[in-house]
């Protein structure tokens, strides 16, 4: 694609001004992304918030201004399920030094494979897998040799355990978990300065339930014995951000938050894999 080639050239030749650093959060218009933006604002982090709904982003920006008027909040409206828009977005951010990129945008689906709406499933695959992979790749290419940079991808406990009636959604999150853990190991083995991490929430009270079930109202108290708030998940994300661990996950037995090195096995030496 022409846009991809242009971006690759920019990544190779541009000099990055590191004096001012930003945290990017996709899917920032609600839920975990919204709460995470506020949490980083409280840490005096300048923000670039991305989502489709501009009114929600403007509301978030206004709220952050009341909490911390000293930081800069940049709004970017983008439909990340549109692949070409992803390249355009990244190109628009080329002049900002991004010390942390959080791929939070995504949605779920409850329902059997035999009855699932393929139009919705196509959008979910584009957003949960393709958009995350492209943005992760572009970010890694540009920032892998910059100190104190992080990529955090939001997966799910459904990215480590198959949930009944959510097979396709879990499959997308298994991809996110495996891709991010593998990327984390690749960066470590190549002595890159960038670190990749994956956050795996369990049930969290957000708009997720409504969209996954295609309903206008969703009662978390009736559906789950335990769940977290978006604010709690933002706190967990910051704990992962502060740590040297690769995985931050909610234990589904007691709903405690745990930090781990990894889940998936990694063979190690690429040469050994080719024998």
């Amino acid at each position: 694609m022409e846009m991809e080639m242009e971006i690759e050239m920019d990544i190779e030749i541009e000099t990055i001004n590191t004096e001012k650093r930003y945290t990017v959060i996709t899917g920032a218009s609600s839920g975990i992304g919204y709460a995470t933006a506020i949490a980083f604002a409280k840490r005096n982090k300048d923000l670039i918030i991305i989502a489709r709904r501009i009114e929600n982003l403007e509301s978030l920006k206004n709220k952050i201004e009341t909490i911390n008027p000293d930081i800069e909040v940049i709004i970017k409206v983008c439909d990340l399920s549109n692949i070409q828009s992803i390249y355009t977005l990244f190109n628009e951010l080329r002049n900002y030094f991004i010390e942390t990129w959080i791929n939070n945008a995504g949605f779920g689906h409850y329902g059997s494979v035999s009855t699932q709406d393929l139009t919705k499933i196509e959008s979910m695959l584009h957003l949960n897998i393709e958009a995350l992979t492209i943005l992760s790749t572009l970010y890694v290419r540009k920032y892998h040799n910059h100190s104190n940079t992080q990529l955090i991808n939001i997966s799910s406990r459904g990215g480590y355990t198959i949930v009944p009636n959510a097979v396709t959604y879990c499959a997308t999150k298994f991809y996110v978990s495996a891709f991010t853990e593998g990327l984390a190991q690749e960066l470590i083995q190549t002595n890159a300065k960038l670190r990749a991490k994956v956050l795996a929430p369990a049930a969290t009270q957000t708009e997720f339930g409504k969209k996954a079930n295609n309903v206008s109202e969703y009662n978390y108290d009736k559906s789950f014995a335990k769940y977290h708030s978006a604010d709690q998940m933002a706190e967990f994300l910051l704990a992962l951000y502060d740590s040297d661990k690769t995985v931050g996950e909610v234990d589904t037995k007691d709903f405690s938050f745990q930090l781990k090195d990894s889940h998936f096995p990694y063979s190690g030496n690429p040469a050994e894999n080719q024998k």
Side-chain angles (χ1 to χ4, degrees):
M1 297 175 68
E2 291 185 5
M3 179 62 72
E4 183 179 7
M5 292 176 63
E6 291 173 3
I7 291 175
E8 288 180 4
M9 290 177 64
D10 285 340
I11 292 171
E12 291 174 358
I13 66 176
E14 72 175 334
T15 300
I16 303 173
N17 182 351
T18 62
E19 291 183 1
K20 190 166 187 178
R21 297 179 166 224
Y22 294 83
T23 296
V24 167
I25 303 170
T26 70
S29 60
S30 66
I32 295 173
Y34 188 99
T36 298
I38 292 172
F40 272 87
K42 290 178 179 178
R43 290 196 173 193
N44 298 312
K45 299 293 186 180
D46 293 307
L47 297 167
I48 301 173
I49 52 176
I50 302 168
R52 292 179 296 110
R53 296 176 290 183
I54 188 170
E55 65 278 3
N56 291 39
L57 293 177
E58 289 174 343
S59 175
L60 173 57
K61 181 177 181 178
N62 292 337
K63 183 170 183 177
I64 289 173
E65 287 175 350
T66 66
I67 296 170
N68 188 347
D70 296 328
I71 70 168
E72 182 179 5
V73 180
I74 297 169
I75 289 175
K76 288 291 183 180
V77 177
C78 183
D79 179 3
L80 295 177
S81 65
N82 182 312
I83 302 304
Q84 187 60 44
S85 296
I86 298 171
Y87 291 104
T88 301
L89 169 70
F90 200 87
N91 195 44
E92 289 175 353
L93 300 179
R94 66 188 181 278
N95 294 325
Y96 300 99
F97 184 87
I98 300 167
E99 68 173 0
T100 306
W101 188 292
I102 301 171
N103 280 317
N104 169 72
F107 66 89
H109 171 75
Y110 289 130
S112 68
V113 173
S114 63
T115 61
Q116 63 188 8
D117 178 351
L118 285 178
T119 300
K120 180 181 180 182
I121 295 304
E122 286 178 6
S123 295
M124 186 173 71
L125 294 174
H126 288 319
L127 187 57
N128 293 11
I129 296 177
E130 291 182 327
L132 180 138
T133 305
I134 293 169
L135 288 171
S136 296
T137 303
L138 293 172
Y139 183 69
V140 169
R141 286 179 183 175
K142 187 170 182 177
Y143 290 94
H144 66 281
N145 280 328
H146 288 275
S147 300
N148 301 315
T149 53
Q150 290 193 40
L151 169 71
I152 301 178
N153 287 333
I154 309 302
S155 182
S156 167
R157 283 302 303 171
Y160 292 100
T161 303
I162 297 175
V163 179
N165 218 36
V167 172
T168 307
Y169 168 71
C170 288
T172 69
K173 292 302 186 177
F174 263 82
Y175 174 86
V176 173
S177 298
F179 171 76
T180 310
E181 285 197 27
L183 172 59
Q185 292 295 330
E186 180 178 298
L187 291 168
I188 291 169
Q189 293 207 357
T190 57
N191 295 315
K193 296 177 181 178
L194 170 68
R195 288 293 173 262
K197 301 175 180 180
V198 57
L199 181 72
T204 307
Q205 189 176 25
T206 65
E207 292 182 349
F208 179 92
K210 292 192 293 186
K211 190 157 189 177
N213 289 280
N214 296 316
V215 294
S216 58
E217 298 294 333
Y218 187 78
N219 191 318
Y220 274 82
D221 291 320
K222 290 183 178 179
S223 300
F224 299 99
K226 294 182 180 179
Y227 58 85
H228 288 114
S229 68
D231 289 340
Q232 287 174 311
M233 285 311 310
E235 292 176 6
F236 296 155
L237 190 150
L238 283 177
L240 175 63
Y241 171 83
D242 290 334
S243 78
D244 60 357
K245 301 298 184 181
T246 298
V247 178
E249 65 174 7
V250 172
D251 189 308
T252 53
K253 294 180 180 178
D254 61 7
F255 260 55
S256 64
F257 183 69
Q258 301 176 1
L259 295 167
K260 296 183 177 181
D261 290 320
S262 62
H263 270 284
F264 296 117
Y266 190 78
S267 298
N269 187 349
E272 292 295 322
N273 299 338
Q274 298 174 8
K275 291 182 178 179

